[in-house]
Amino acid sequence: MESDFEDDRSHVDRRRDPLNAPAALVRSKYRALGGGCVSCSGDLVAVEALPGVQKVDALVSGVVLVTHDGTVTEAAVIEAARKAGLALSATGPARPVRA
């Protein structure tokens, strides 16, 4: 028996298909504790190397911004920084990065 219905997905706009959409990025904010040197790149290399991290920005004010794919936990960032000699404290939940 032949069906009149064809399973043709060629009409689907791949850019709007949630299964093919790029992952949304989020940004987590941390503050350096105890006078750690956030501008010392060696202190942040371990954080930059975490899977899912896209970018790490160190601000003069002692704030560290970590842009990631949402899979990176606060604990992982804090531990990576601690192993590098920099004490960090999360200042709030991750927020979506605006395009």
Side-chain angles (χ1 to χ4, degrees):
M1 178 175 182
E2 243 179 86
S3 171
D4 292 333
F5 176 76
E6 288 184 36
D7 187 16
D8 180 16
R9 293 193 49 135
S10 63
H11 67 281
V12 175
D13 185 350
R14 299 273 182 228
R15 293 168 295 176
R16 294 179 191 251
D17 185 350
L19 297 176
N20 292 318
L25 294 178
V26 294
R27 185 171 293 129
S28 299
K29 187 176 177 182
Y30 300 86
R31 179 160 301 282
L33 303 174
C37 178
V38 297
S39 63
C40 301
S41 61
D43 289 349
L44 297 174
V45 170
V47 176
E48 291 172 336
L50 290 171
V53 171
Q54 302 293 315
K55 183 178 179 184
V56 177
D57 293 305
L59 307 179
V60 176
S61 62
V63 170
V64 176
L65 302 173
V66 180
T67 303
H68 56 92
D69 63 8
T71 63
V72 181
T73 65
E74 288 179 358
V77 171
I78 290 169
E79 180 63 15
R82 186 194 65 76
K83 286 181 178 178
L86 181 63
L88 293 180
S89 174
T91 63
R95 297 179 183 242
V97 174
R98 292 186 232 176

